[in-house]
Amino acid sequence: MNIDTTGLLEALVRIPSFSREEGAAADFLEEWMKNAGFSPRRVGHNLWVESCPADGRPTILLNAHIDTVRPASGYTRDPFTPCIEDGRLYGLGTNDDGGSLVALLETYSRLISKPQPYRLVFSATAEEEVSGRGGLDLLLPEIGRVDFGVIGEPTGMNMAVAEKGLMVLDCTAHGKSGHAARNEGVNAIYEALESIDWFRNHSFERESDYLGPVKMTVTQINAGTQHNVVPDKCTFVVDVRPNGMYTNPELLSLIKASVPCEVKERSTRIGSSHLPSDHPAVARGLALGLEPFGSPTTSNQALCGFPTLKIGPGDSARSHSADEYICLDEIASGVEIYCKLLDGLEL
């Protein structure tokens, strides 16, 4: 079947769908899919449909998100009134992530119209903009094993084969309090300096061709209660950006073994990703002339424990900006490229 991608996207623009407030949009899309002949399943505000039950073949997941950020203050248009001008569809969420959503749904519809060497799943998920646990995390256990994922995000239909991750570390150096005028106590600030210097200067061995080295930055520090007391505790925060060459738990273990301070991670959920150039999807994309690159922005790739490729119509620079739009020919071209990339793909 052919989907009216423009009409569907216009309808979705009219429904506010802020992160953790996606219920109305999920309700609409679920009913729309049923009327279009699909058999969607739902968990929370997440929808999915499969070409067949798991049957031993590899599973490919197509994923886009239905949530949006709140409108930027500079909007000159009503963000919830879709408007087409000069081939552009304006409205909140058109570029991030509505264009990918409707393009992937049309792609799913085309691919399942003939036999494929894989089980295909399309999903529309919530809470991507806040990396919430009510989004893809909630859905993946329902789907079962996934062998490869296509994450729809605005990349100009070039291939994000790597994506930076994130870990936030809370570090504590301990000392012993004493009077600042006397030669007593152990200054926790001085104790922290060795660890801070390590975070500033250490280089991990494995670097990414697309993302470069792991980046670690000390971003906050706090110590002391008053000027004449030697502080017995110094805390600081480190922002760590993994490069796809290490898992978050692996990096965390290396860091804890290297610094004398106490290190506690807030979370290891936001992982980095790396897809090698010999992966069948990347190889086919290169043959199609698609450019590979490393993405500095996080997406649902960060929550996938399986190989993923981030690719979609639109431009990342338009995301979260005022008067957001996507070009209608970007959606149409995106569908054609998705189909060429995936049709008959052997994993």
Side-chain angles (χ1 to χ4, degrees):
M1 80 182 68
N2 290 321
I3 291 171
D4 178 9
T5 54
T6 301
L8 175 57
L9 186 50
E10 287 179 309
L12 287 169
V13 167
R14 295 187 180 97
I15 306 171
S17 185
F18 307 134
S19 300
R20 299 193 175 96
E21 299 176 20
E22 306 95 342
D27 290 344
F28 167 80
L29 185 57
E30 181 178 21
E31 191 64 24
W32 186 96
M33 291 177 71
K34 289 177 180 177
N35 291 336
F38 297 103
S39 300
R41 300 168 66 178
R42 180 169 178 170
V43 55
H45 297 326
N46 307 286
L47 300 169
W48 62 286
V49 61
E50 60 185 3
S51 61
C52 64
D55 59 2
R57 290 180 296 167
T59 293
I60 294 180
L61 173 68
L62 310 179
N63 175 256
H65 63 90
I66 62 174
D67 62 315
T68 72
V69 297
R70 294 183 181 274
S73 60
Y75 261 87
T76 63
R77 304 166 177 266
D78 181 353
F80 305 111
T81 300
C83 177
I84 298 176
E85 291 183 8
D86 300 322
R88 296 176 173 181
L89 174 56
Y90 289 88
L92 181 65
T94 50
N95 182 77
D96 186 15
D97 195 33
S100 292
L101 182 93
V102 298
L104 283 174
L105 183 55
E106 169 69 7
T107 299
Y108 173 84
S109 178
R110 292 189 187 187
L111 291 176
I112 65 170
S113 67
K114 59 181 179 178
Q116 298 291 348
Y118 49 76
R119 169 187 177 232
L120 189 62
V121 178
F122 166 82
S123 61
T125 51
E127 299 189 17
E128 188 274 345
E129 296 289 1
V130 294
S131 298
R133 294 186 180 274
L136 192 61
D137 275 351
L138 190 63
L139 179 67
L140 286 177
E142 302 291 326
I143 295 174
R145 177 190 171 107
V146 176
D147 298 275
F148 175 60
V150 174
I151 307 300
E153 289 282 348
T155 69
M157 293 308 294
N158 288 311
M159 301 184 294
V161 297
E163 180 183 273
K164 284 188 176 180
L166 170 65
M167 275 198 305
V168 179
L169 306 179
D170 292 301
C171 302
T172 304
H174 296 280
K176 182 179 180 181
S177 62
H179 198 297
R182 300 167 60 87
N183 187 23
E184 61 186 26
V186 177
N187 195 316
I189 295 175
Y190 300 158
E191 295 297 302
L193 290 179
E194 179 182 351
S195 297
I196 291 173
D197 186 64
W198 185 88
F199 282 114
R200 180 183 183 185
N201 295 304
H202 183 73
S203 295
F204 287 98
E205 179 180 355
R206 302 198 293 268
E207 294 193 11
S208 166
D209 292 338
Y210 296 101
L211 300 175
V214 174
K215 183 74 168 63
M216 299 186 292
T217 307
V218 177
T219 55
Q220 294 174 279
I221 187 167
N222 183 65
T225 56
Q226 59 192 65
H227 77 89
N228 58 353
V229 177
V230 173
D232 62 359
K233 184 171 73 170
C234 177
T235 62
F236 59 97
V237 176
V238 185
D239 179 289
V240 182
R241 302 288 170 157
N243 65 349
M245 307 307 291
Y246 299 86
T247 67
N248 281 2
E250 185 181 8
L251 269 182
L252 183 62
S253 178
L254 290 170
I255 290 169
K256 287 184 174 181
S258 301
V259 294
C261 67
E262 177 185 335
V263 178
K264 291 185 178 180
E265 70 280 12
R266 295 185 186 178
S267 172
T268 58
R269 289 179 64 240
I270 311 302
S272 56
S273 61
H274 171 76
L275 199 60
S277 59
D278 60 355
H279 187 277
V282 178
R284 181 176 286 192
L286 292 173
L288 292 171
L290 307 182
E291 291 290 331
F293 71 101
S295 174
T297 59
T298 58
S299 70
N300 273 339
Q301 272 189 305
L303 305 178
C304 298
F306 47 85
T308 55
L309 180 66
K310 182 166 70 175
I311 181 172
D315 185 341
S316 181
R318 300 180 207 146
S319 301
H320 306 180
S321 65
D323 296 336
E324 182 182 350
Y325 70 88
I326 193 165
C327 300
L328 297 180
D329 62 0
E330 290 176 325
I331 297 175
S333 175
V335 172
E336 297 303 320
I337 292 172
Y338 278 142
C339 288
K340 290 177 181 178
L341 188 66
L342 297 172
D343 190 15
L345 184 70
E346 297 276 357
L347 294 179

